[in-house]
Amino acid sequence: MRPNYVAVIVAAIAYWLLGAVWFAALFGNQWMALEHMTPEQAQAANPVLPYVVSFVLNLVIAFVLAQVCAWRNANTAARGAALGILIWIGFVGPITFTTYMYEMRSKQLFAINEFYVLVGLALMGAILGAWTKKKPA
């Protein structure tokens, strides 16, 4: 099945913009404190490379999620969002929580980092599901 490439790009952009809002406007200060990062360290980081790499990886995520939406016939925004949430509940959440637990990392940090992924997968799934073509009967 061919994915809707425009939907893949839009979903990747939406996820990328969500990250900007999530980590800059909503949880930036708490995230930096939990990561033991100073504003000076954040400003000294390469400002371009992480944004470019994360966008490319968002394209990969959107492409794969589009394939799963088409495979599972998630052809509405609600079905796509539900599929994104299911993927988080079944894979992302348990895997990353296990890692956080063994690394003795904060549950607050888990919530900030991984609920961003949960919301992002739901958002991407909604976009991709809404643009997935229905199979002919």
Side-chain angles (χ1 to χ4, degrees), residues 72 79-94 118 121-122:
R72 295 298 305 149
R79 285 182 178 183
L83 192 54
I85 292 167
L86 185 65
I87 288 169
W88 189 91
I89 290 170
F91 297 103
V92 177
L118 173 61
L121 285 172

Side-chain angles (χ1 to χ4, degrees), residues 11-105:
I13 291 169
Y15 189 84
W16 194 71
L17 292 173
L18 174 65
V21 171
W22 194 272
F23 288 103
L26 297 177
F27 301 106
N29 291 334
Q30 295 113 309
W31 178 81
M32 285 191 356
L34 291 165
E35 287 287 6
H36 308 289
M37 183 184 300
T38 65
E40 294 78 23
Q41 289 172 315
Q43 289 175 348
N46 181 339
V48 176
L49 187 62
Y51 295 112
V52 171
V53 171
S54 65
F55 181 71
V56 170
L57 295 174
N58 291 347
L59 286 169
V60 171
I61 295 165
F63 179 81
V64 172
L65 188 53
Q67 296 296 324
V68 175
C69 283
W71 176 59
R72 295 298 305 149
N73 201 27
N75 52 20
T76 67
R79 285 182 178 183
L83 192 54
I85 292 167
L86 185 65
I87 288 169
W88 189 91
I89 290 170
F91 297 103
V92 177
I95 290 168
T96 54
F97 188 77
T98 300
T99 302
Y100 272 66
M101 184 178 58
Y102 280 106
E103 292 176 351
M104 294 182 272
R105 298 181 82 190

Side-chain angles (χ1 to χ4, degrees), residues 107-126:
K107 288 183 180 111
Q108 272 186 302
L109 185 59
F110 172 84
I112 292 170
N113 285 337
E114 302 312 321
F115 291 170
Y116 155 66
V117 178
L118 173 61
V119 173
L121 285 172
L123 176 63
M124 287 178 118

